mmCIF file of all heavy atoms in Angstrom:
data_model
loop_
_atom_site.group_PDB
_atom_site.id
_atom_site.type_symbol
_atom_site.label_atom_id
_atom_site.label_comp_id
_atom_site.label_asym_id
_atom_site.label_seq_id
_atom_site.Cartn_x
_atom_site.Cartn_y
_atom_site.Cartn_z
ATOM 1 N N ARG A 322 -11.553 1.307 4.475
ATOM 2 C CA ARG A 322 -12.283 0.121 4.942
ATOM 3 C C ARG A 322 -11.677 -0.388 6.247
ATOM 4 O O ARG A 322 -12.411 -0.761 7.174
ATOM 5 C CB ARG A 322 -12.309 -0.966 3.882
ATOM 6 C CG ARG A 322 -13.183 -2.122 4.295
ATOM 7 C CD ARG A 322 -13.438 -3.080 3.178
ATOM 8 N NE ARG A 322 -12.178 -3.636 2.718
ATOM 9 C CZ ARG A 322 -12.021 -4.250 1.545
ATOM 10 N NH1 ARG A 322 -13.032 -4.369 0.717
ATOM 11 N NH2 ARG A 322 -10.847 -4.731 1.206
ATOM 12 N N VAL A 323 -10.354 -0.422 6.342
ATOM 13 C CA VAL A 323 -9.689 -0.884 7.547
ATOM 14 C C VAL A 323 -10.004 0.063 8.713
ATOM 15 O O VAL A 323 -10.237 -0.395 9.836
ATOM 16 C CB VAL A 323 -8.155 -0.996 7.326
ATOM 17 C CG1 VAL A 323 -7.425 -1.214 8.633
ATOM 18 C CG2 VAL A 323 -7.827 -2.101 6.340
ATOM 19 N N LEU A 324 -10.035 1.364 8.470
ATOM 20 C CA LEU A 324 -10.319 2.319 9.523
ATOM 21 C C LEU A 324 -11.767 2.299 9.938
ATOM 22 O O LEU A 324 -12.081 2.502 11.124
ATOM 23 C CB LEU A 324 -9.926 3.724 9.081
ATOM 24 C CG LEU A 324 -8.417 3.930 8.876
ATOM 25 C CD1 LEU A 324 -8.132 5.280 8.216
ATOM 26 C CD2 LEU A 324 -7.657 3.808 10.190
ATOM 27 N N VAL A 325 -12.688 2.033 9.016
ATOM 28 C CA VAL A 325 -14.117 1.984 9.322
ATOM 29 C C VAL A 325 -14.455 0.702 10.072
ATOM 30 O O VAL A 325 -15.242 0.714 11.025
ATOM 31 C CB VAL A 325 -14.977 2.118 8.057
ATOM 32 C CG1 VAL A 325 -16.433 1.799 8.317
ATOM 33 C CG2 VAL A 325 -14.821 3.492 7.447
ATOM 34 N N ARG A 326 -13.859 -0.419 9.634
ATOM 35 C CA ARG A 326 -14.136 -1.722 10.218
ATOM 36 C C ARG A 326 -12.839 -2.326 10.745
ATOM 37 O O ARG A 326 -12.263 -3.188 10.070
ATOM 38 C CB ARG A 326 -14.776 -2.639 9.167
ATOM 39 C CG ARG A 326 -16.138 -2.217 8.758
ATOM 40 C CD ARG A 326 -16.724 -3.186 7.729
ATOM 41 N NE ARG A 326 -17.662 -2.506 6.873
ATOM 42 C CZ ARG A 326 -17.366 -1.940 5.706
ATOM 43 N NH1 ARG A 326 -16.147 -1.980 5.239
ATOM 44 N NH2 ARG A 326 -18.284 -1.343 5.003
ATOM 45 N N PRO A 327 -12.383 -1.912 11.883
ATOM 46 C CA PRO A 327 -11.126 -2.463 12.418
ATOM 47 C C PRO A 327 -11.159 -3.975 12.507
ATOM 48 O O PRO A 327 -12.208 -4.571 12.757
ATOM 49 C CB PRO A 327 -11.041 -1.838 13.821
ATOM 50 C CG PRO A 327 -11.861 -0.590 13.739
ATOM 51 C CD PRO A 327 -12.987 -0.923 12.778
ATOM 52 N N GLY A 328 -10.018 -4.559 12.264
ATOM 53 C CA GLY A 328 -9.913 -6.020 12.306
ATOM 54 C C GLY A 328 -10.060 -6.663 10.956
ATOM 55 O O GLY A 328 -9.924 -7.876 10.816
ATOM 56 N N ARG A 329 -10.321 -5.894 9.933
ATOM 57 C CA ARG A 329 -10.478 -6.431 8.582
ATOM 58 C C ARG A 329 -9.408 -5.785 7.679
ATOM 59 O O ARG A 329 -9.146 -4.615 7.780
ATOM 60 C CB ARG A 329 -11.861 -6.091 8.012
ATOM 61 C CG ARG A 329 -12.966 -6.726 8.814
ATOM 62 C CD ARG A 329 -14.290 -6.501 8.174
ATOM 63 N NE ARG A 329 -14.256 -6.904 6.778
ATOM 64 C CZ ARG A 329 -14.983 -7.864 6.240
ATOM 65 N NH1 ARG A 329 -15.795 -8.534 6.992
ATOM 66 N NH2 ARG A 329 -14.888 -8.143 4.943
ATOM 67 N N GLY A 330 -8.826 -6.583 6.812
ATOM 68 C CA GLY A 330 -7.812 -6.050 5.875
ATOM 69 C C GLY A 330 -6.454 -5.961 6.521
ATOM 70 O O GLY A 330 -6.167 -6.587 7.557
ATOM 71 N N TYR A 331 -5.623 -5.149 5.938
ATOM 72 C CA TYR A 331 -4.241 -4.986 6.376
ATOM 73 C C TYR A 331 -4.197 -3.998 7.527
ATOM 74 O O TYR A 331 -3.786 -2.847 7.356
ATOM 75 C CB TYR A 331 -3.394 -4.547 5.190
ATOM 76 C CG TYR A 331 -1.900 -4.679 5.366
ATOM 77 C CD1 TYR A 331 -1.339 -5.167 6.511
ATOM 78 C CD2 TYR A 331 -1.055 -4.292 4.345
ATOM 79 C CE1 TYR A 331 0.036 -5.276 6.668
ATOM 80 C CE2 TYR A 331 0.313 -4.380 4.451
ATOM 81 C CZ TYR A 331 0.864 -4.888 5.627
ATOM 82 O OH TYR A 331 2.198 -4.966 5.776
ATOM 83 N N THR A 332 -4.631 -4.433 8.693
ATOM 84 C CA THR A 332 -4.823 -3.534 9.827
ATOM 85 C C THR A 332 -3.527 -2.925 10.380
ATOM 86 O O THR A 332 -3.585 -1.892 11.009
ATOM 87 C CB THR A 332 -5.549 -4.263 10.958
ATOM 88 O OG1 THR A 332 -4.786 -5.411 11.351
ATOM 89 C CG2 THR A 332 -6.943 -4.705 10.514
ATOM 90 N N ASN A 333 -2.417 -3.627 10.185
ATOM 91 C CA ASN A 333 -1.164 -3.102 10.775
ATOM 92 C C ASN A 333 -0.264 -2.434 9.735
ATOM 93 O O ASN A 333 0.932 -2.283 9.965
ATOM 94 C CB ASN A 333 -0.412 -4.259 11.427
ATOM 95 C CG ASN A 333 -1.144 -4.765 12.644
ATOM 96 O OD1 ASN A 333 -1.703 -3.984 13.401
ATOM 97 N ND2 ASN A 333 -1.165 -6.076 12.814
ATOM 98 N N HIS A 334 -0.825 -2.007 8.640
ATOM 99 C CA HIS A 334 0.019 -1.369 7.627
ATOM 100 C C HIS A 334 0.583 -0.069 8.190
ATOM 101 O O HIS A 334 -0.117 0.724 8.799
ATOM 102 C CB HIS A 334 -0.797 -1.052 6.363
ATOM 103 C CG HIS A 334 0.079 -0.731 5.216
ATOM 104 N ND1 HIS A 334 0.685 0.493 5.064
ATOM 105 C CD2 HIS A 334 0.537 -1.480 4.193
ATOM 106 C CE1 HIS A 334 1.445 0.506 4.008
ATOM 107 N NE2 HIS A 334 1.355 -0.702 3.441
ATOM 108 N N PRO A 335 1.888 0.119 8.017
ATOM 109 C CA PRO A 335 2.556 1.275 8.638
ATOM 110 C C PRO A 335 1.991 2.638 8.176
ATOM 111 O O PRO A 335 1.981 3.570 8.953
ATOM 112 C CB PRO A 335 4.016 1.129 8.251
ATOM 113 C CG PRO A 335 4.088 0.075 7.218
ATOM 114 C CD PRO A 335 2.844 -0.740 7.321
ATOM 115 N N GLN A 336 1.528 2.732 6.946
ATOM 116 C CA GLN A 336 1.057 4.042 6.501
ATOM 117 C C GLN A 336 -0.308 4.426 7.116
ATOM 118 O O GLN A 336 -0.716 5.588 7.015
ATOM 119 C CB GLN A 336 0.974 4.059 4.981
ATOM 120 C CG GLN A 336 2.338 4.057 4.357
ATOM 121 C CD GLN A 336 2.317 4.473 2.915
ATOM 122 O OE1 GLN A 336 1.436 5.169 2.479
ATOM 123 N NE2 GLN A 336 3.333 4.019 2.182
ATOM 124 N N LEU A 337 -0.941 3.474 7.771
ATOM 125 C CA LEU A 337 -2.184 3.794 8.451
ATOM 126 C C LEU A 337 -1.941 4.502 9.783
ATOM 127 O O LEU A 337 -2.857 5.133 10.326
ATOM 128 C CB LEU A 337 -3.022 2.535 8.695
ATOM 129 C CG LEU A 337 -3.618 1.894 7.442
ATOM 130 C CD1 LEU A 337 -4.335 0.594 7.817
ATOM 131 C CD2 LEU A 337 -4.531 2.850 6.731
ATOM 132 N N HIS A 338 -0.743 4.427 10.300
ATOM 133 C CA HIS A 338 -0.439 5.048 11.620
ATOM 134 C C HIS A 338 -0.775 6.525 11.615
ATOM 135 O O HIS A 338 -1.356 7.020 12.576
ATOM 136 C CB HIS A 338 1.030 4.840 11.985
ATOM 137 C CG HIS A 338 1.384 3.444 12.264
ATOM 138 N ND1 HIS A 338 0.819 2.699 13.234
ATOM 139 C CD2 HIS A 338 2.298 2.637 11.660
ATOM 140 C CE1 HIS A 338 1.311 1.471 13.249
ATOM 141 N NE2 HIS A 338 2.237 1.418 12.276
ATOM 142 N N ARG A 339 -0.419 7.240 10.563
ATOM 143 C CA ARG A 339 -0.641 8.688 10.583
ATOM 144 C C ARG A 339 -2.116 9.044 10.506
ATOM 145 O O ARG A 339 -2.525 10.071 11.024
ATOM 146 C CB ARG A 339 0.136 9.357 9.466
ATOM 147 C CG ARG A 339 -0.201 8.901 8.064
ATOM 148 C CD ARG A 339 0.705 9.570 7.066
ATOM 149 N NE ARG A 339 0.661 8.946 5.777
ATOM 150 C CZ ARG A 339 1.325 9.426 4.758
ATOM 151 N NH1 ARG A 339 2.080 10.501 4.872
ATOM 152 N NH2 ARG A 339 1.253 8.816 3.583
ATOM 153 N N PHE A 340 -2.939 8.174 9.922
ATOM 154 C CA PHE A 340 -4.371 8.435 9.918
ATOM 155 C C PHE A 340 -4.994 8.024 11.248
ATOM 156 O O PHE A 340 -5.860 8.718 11.772
ATOM 157 C CB PHE A 340 -5.066 7.686 8.751
ATOM 158 C CG PHE A 340 -4.672 8.273 7.411
ATOM 159 C CD1 PHE A 340 -3.680 7.669 6.648
ATOM 160 C CD2 PHE A 340 -5.241 9.435 6.945
ATOM 161 C CE1 PHE A 340 -3.296 8.207 5.433
ATOM 162 C CE2 PHE A 340 -4.874 9.983 5.718
ATOM 163 C CZ PHE A 340 -3.898 9.376 4.967
ATOM 164 N N ARG A 341 -4.562 6.914 11.790
ATOM 165 C CA ARG A 341 -5.077 6.474 13.108
ATOM 166 C C ARG A 341 -4.735 7.466 14.213
ATOM 167 O O ARG A 341 -5.467 7.561 15.198
ATOM 168 C CB ARG A 341 -4.478 5.100 13.465
ATOM 169 C CG ARG A 341 -5.193 3.974 12.827
ATOM 170 C CD ARG A 341 -4.887 2.674 13.594
ATOM 171 N NE ARG A 341 -5.564 1.609 12.928
ATOM 172 C CZ ARG A 341 -4.982 0.749 12.129
ATOM 173 N NH1 ARG A 341 -3.672 0.810 11.913
ATOM 174 N NH2 ARG A 341 -5.667 -0.209 11.549
ATOM 175 N N ALA A 342 -3.625 8.168 14.053
ATOM 176 C CA ALA A 342 -3.204 9.117 15.072
ATOM 177 C C ALA A 342 -4.058 10.379 15.107
ATOM 178 O O ALA A 342 -3.972 11.165 16.032
ATOM 179 C CB ALA A 342 -1.740 9.512 14.857
ATOM 180 N N GLN A 343 -4.946 10.539 14.125
ATOM 181 C CA GLN A 343 -5.809 11.721 14.064
ATOM 182 C C GLN A 343 -7.025 11.543 14.957
ATOM 183 O O GLN A 343 -7.474 10.430 15.190
ATOM 184 C CB GLN A 343 -6.253 11.951 12.611
ATOM 185 C CG GLN A 343 -5.098 12.146 11.641
ATOM 186 C CD GLN A 343 -4.093 13.163 12.147
ATOM 187 O OE1 GLN A 343 -4.420 14.311 12.428
ATOM 188 N NE2 GLN A 343 -2.852 12.721 12.287
ATOM 189 N N PRO A 344 -7.569 12.653 15.473
ATOM 190 C CA PRO A 344 -8.773 12.539 16.331
ATOM 191 C C PRO A 344 -9.922 11.855 15.621
ATOM 192 O O PRO A 344 -10.702 11.134 16.237
ATOM 193 C CB PRO A 344 -9.094 14.002 16.657
ATOM 194 C CG PRO A 344 -7.834 14.758 16.465
ATOM 195 C CD PRO A 344 -7.084 14.029 15.374
ATOM 196 N N GLU A 345 -10.035 12.059 14.318
ATOM 197 C CA GLU A 345 -11.117 11.448 13.508
ATOM 198 C C GLU A 345 -10.459 10.719 12.329
ATOM 199 O O GLU A 345 -10.402 11.261 11.217
ATOM 200 C CB GLU A 345 -12.092 12.529 13.008
ATOM 201 C CG GLU A 345 -12.801 13.278 14.103
ATOM 202 C CD GLU A 345 -13.796 12.431 14.841
ATOM 203 O OE1 GLU A 345 -14.288 11.422 14.273
ATOM 204 O OE2 GLU A 345 -14.100 12.764 15.991
ATOM 205 N N PRO A 346 -9.967 9.488 12.526
ATOM 206 C CA PRO A 346 -9.251 8.793 11.471
ATOM 207 C C PRO A 346 -10.023 8.623 10.179
ATOM 208 O O PRO A 346 -9.482 8.760 9.065
ATOM 209 C CB PRO A 346 -8.903 7.437 12.079
ATOM 210 C CG PRO A 346 -9.027 7.631 13.541
ATOM 211 C CD PRO A 346 -10.023 8.704 13.765
ATOM 212 N N VAL A 347 -11.309 8.287 10.289
ATOM 213 C CA VAL A 347 -12.105 8.065 9.073
ATOM 214 C C VAL A 347 -12.312 9.373 8.330
ATOM 215 O O VAL A 347 -12.253 9.407 7.102
ATOM 216 C CB VAL A 347 -13.435 7.373 9.408
ATOM 217 C CG1 VAL A 347 -14.329 7.230 8.184
ATOM 218 C CG2 VAL A 347 -13.202 6.009 10.068
ATOM 219 N N ALA A 348 -12.526 10.460 9.052
ATOM 220 C CA ALA A 348 -12.643 11.757 8.399
ATOM 221 C C ALA A 348 -11.333 12.148 7.738
ATOM 222 O O ALA A 348 -11.307 12.713 6.636
ATOM 223 C CB ALA A 348 -13.083 12.821 9.399
ATOM 224 N N ALA A 349 -10.217 11.811 8.364
ATOM 225 C CA ALA A 349 -8.898 12.132 7.803
ATOM 226 C C ALA A 349 -8.641 11.376 6.495
ATOM 227 O O ALA A 349 -8.172 11.929 5.515
ATOM 228 C CB ALA A 349 -7.799 11.832 8.811
ATOM 229 N N ILE A 350 -8.986 10.083 6.451
ATOM 230 C CA ILE A 350 -8.801 9.313 5.205
ATOM 231 C C ILE A 350 -9.822 9.794 4.169
ATOM 232 O O ILE A 350 -9.528 9.815 2.980
ATOM 233 C CB ILE A 350 -8.826 7.790 5.416
ATOM 234 C CG1 ILE A 350 -8.281 7.040 4.223
ATOM 235 C CG2 ILE A 350 -10.230 7.309 5.755
ATOM 236 C CD1 ILE A 350 -6.804 7.175 3.986
ATOM 237 N N GLY A 351 -10.975 10.218 4.614
ATOM 238 C CA GLY A 351 -11.974 10.787 3.701
ATOM 239 C C GLY A 351 -11.462 12.053 3.027
ATOM 240 O O GLY A 351 -11.652 12.234 1.822
ATOM 241 N N ARG A 352 -10.802 12.890 3.788
ATOM 242 C CA ARG A 352 -10.226 14.120 3.230
ATOM 243 C C ARG A 352 -9.139 13.738 2.208
ATOM 244 O O ARG A 352 -9.006 14.349 1.167
ATOM 245 C CB ARG A 352 -9.652 14.984 4.310
ATOM 246 C CG ARG A 352 -9.034 16.263 3.777
ATOM 247 C CD ARG A 352 -8.515 17.160 4.867
ATOM 248 N NE ARG A 352 -7.882 18.290 4.243
ATOM 249 C CZ ARG A 352 -7.492 19.349 4.909
ATOM 250 N NH1 ARG A 352 -7.681 19.425 6.200
ATOM 251 N NH2 ARG A 352 -6.889 20.336 4.298
ATOM 252 N N TYR A 353 -8.335 12.736 2.544
ATOM 253 C CA TYR A 353 -7.285 12.275 1.655
ATOM 254 C C TYR A 353 -7.896 11.784 0.325
ATOM 255 O O TYR A 353 -7.438 12.153 -0.762
ATOM 256 C CB TYR A 353 -6.475 11.161 2.330
ATOM 257 C CG TYR A 353 -5.321 10.669 1.504
ATOM 258 C CD1 TYR A 353 -4.103 11.320 1.564
ATOM 259 C CD2 TYR A 353 -5.456 9.560 0.682
ATOM 260 C CE1 TYR A 353 -3.019 10.878 0.799
ATOM 261 C CE2 TYR A 353 -4.389 9.109 -0.083
ATOM 262 C CZ TYR A 353 -3.166 9.764 -0.025
ATOM 263 O OH TYR A 353 -2.136 9.319 -0.796
ATOM 264 N N LEU A 354 -8.951 10.971 0.429
ATOM 265 C CA LEU A 354 -9.619 10.476 -0.764
ATOM 266 C C LEU A 354 -10.220 11.607 -1.581
ATOM 267 O O LEU A 354 -10.150 11.602 -2.812
ATOM 268 C CB LEU A 354 -10.738 9.489 -0.373
ATOM 269 C CG LEU A 354 -10.257 8.081 -0.037
ATOM 270 C CD1 LEU A 354 -11.291 7.356 0.833
ATOM 271 C CD2 LEU A 354 -9.942 7.299 -1.287
ATOM 272 N N ALA A 355 -10.790 12.609 -0.916
ATOM 273 C CA ALA A 355 -11.341 13.754 -1.623
ATOM 274 C C ALA A 355 -10.274 14.503 -2.420
ATOM 275 O O ALA A 355 -10.518 14.945 -3.548
ATOM 276 C CB ALA A 355 -12.033 14.697 -0.637
ATOM 277 N N GLY A 356 -9.067 14.596 -1.866
ATOM 278 C CA GLY A 356 -7.957 15.228 -2.590
ATOM 279 C C GLY A 356 -7.594 14.443 -3.859
ATOM 280 O O GLY A 356 -7.307 15.040 -4.899
#
Side-chain angles (χ1 to χ4, degrees):
R322 186 169 60 198
V323 169
L324 293 171
V325 169
R326 293 181 207 92
R329 298 185 51 117
Y331 195 0
T332 59
N333 293 321
H334 194 281
Q336 290 196 25
L337 291 177
H338 293 300
R339 59 184 166 177
F340 292 99
R341 278 200 181 102
Q343 302 310 303
E345 298 290 336
V347 176
I350 195 69
R352 179 178 178 171
Y353 183 85
L354 281 159

